[in-house]
Amino acid sequence: QVQLVESGGGLVQAGEDLRISCQFSGGTFTRYTLAWFRQAPGKERQFVAAMRWTDGFTDYVGSVKGRFTVSRVNVRDTLYLQMDSLKPEDTALYYCAATANSHADWRLSAAYDYWGRGTQVTVSS
């Protein structure tokens, strides 16, 4: 059974950087498309970034393009999200998600079979 555990969240000031991690276990890491979603209080869960396992293709929501970078270190079974120039509107609970379906629409939360419990990122103004 695949398990995902996020870490690295915290409280930062606007303009600062933060890197969060997602530790993967229980499956073959390199066979999964992995993604980050986030959910702010009172809002729906939002796609943030994804990396496709077949070719390493990455995709980002428009609001984070140029500021966030998704990466994975296969020997560590770990997914990262480097978040630079953080803004108060980036405040949310950040979730890691995984799917083995290489044809899935990775921007849809329904495409993912496995989820972590999230790590809180709070950006003060």
Side-chain angles (χ1 to χ4, degrees):
Q1 179 76 3
V2 170
Q3 292 188 326
L4 304 169
V5 179
E6 302 93 338
S7 62
L11 172 63
V12 298
Q13 293 188 337
E16 293 185 339
D17 305 336
L18 190 67
R19 187 180 76 166
I20 57 177
S21 304
C22 172
Q23 182 67 52
F24 174 102
S25 63
T28 303
F29 182 68
T30 53
R31 294 291 183 91
Y32 285 81
T33 288
L34 301 168
W36 290 99
F37 285 76
R38 66 186 180 187
Q39 188 166 19
K43 295 188 177 182
E44 293 187 353
R45 190 170 296 188
Q46 177 193 35
F47 168 78
V48 176
M51 177 174 278
R52 190 166 59 193
W53 69 266
T54 53
D55 57 2
F57 175 79
T58 57
D59 188 26
Y60 300 88
V61 68
S63 60
V64 309
K65 279 185 179 178
R67 298 189 299 121
F68 289 13
T69 303
V70 61
S71 63
R72 58 197 295 168
V73 177
N74 292 338
V75 295
R76 297 178 182 173
D77 287 356
T78 303
L79 180 75
Y80 298 98
L81 185 66
Q82 176 68 42
M83 303 181 289
D84 297 334
S85 303
L86 281 160
K87 303 176 181 180
E89 51 264 43
D90 295 319
T91 295
L93 187 60
Y94 282 72
Y95 296 93
C96 177
T99 178
N101 182 359
S102 61
H103 301 291
D105 184 343
W106 53 75
R107 287 184 169 232
L108 299 180
S109 59
Y112 294 87
D113 303 306
Y114 304 100
W115 292 84
R117 293 188 175 185
T119 185
Q120 178 67 38
V121 174
T122 303
V123 185
S124 63
S125 58

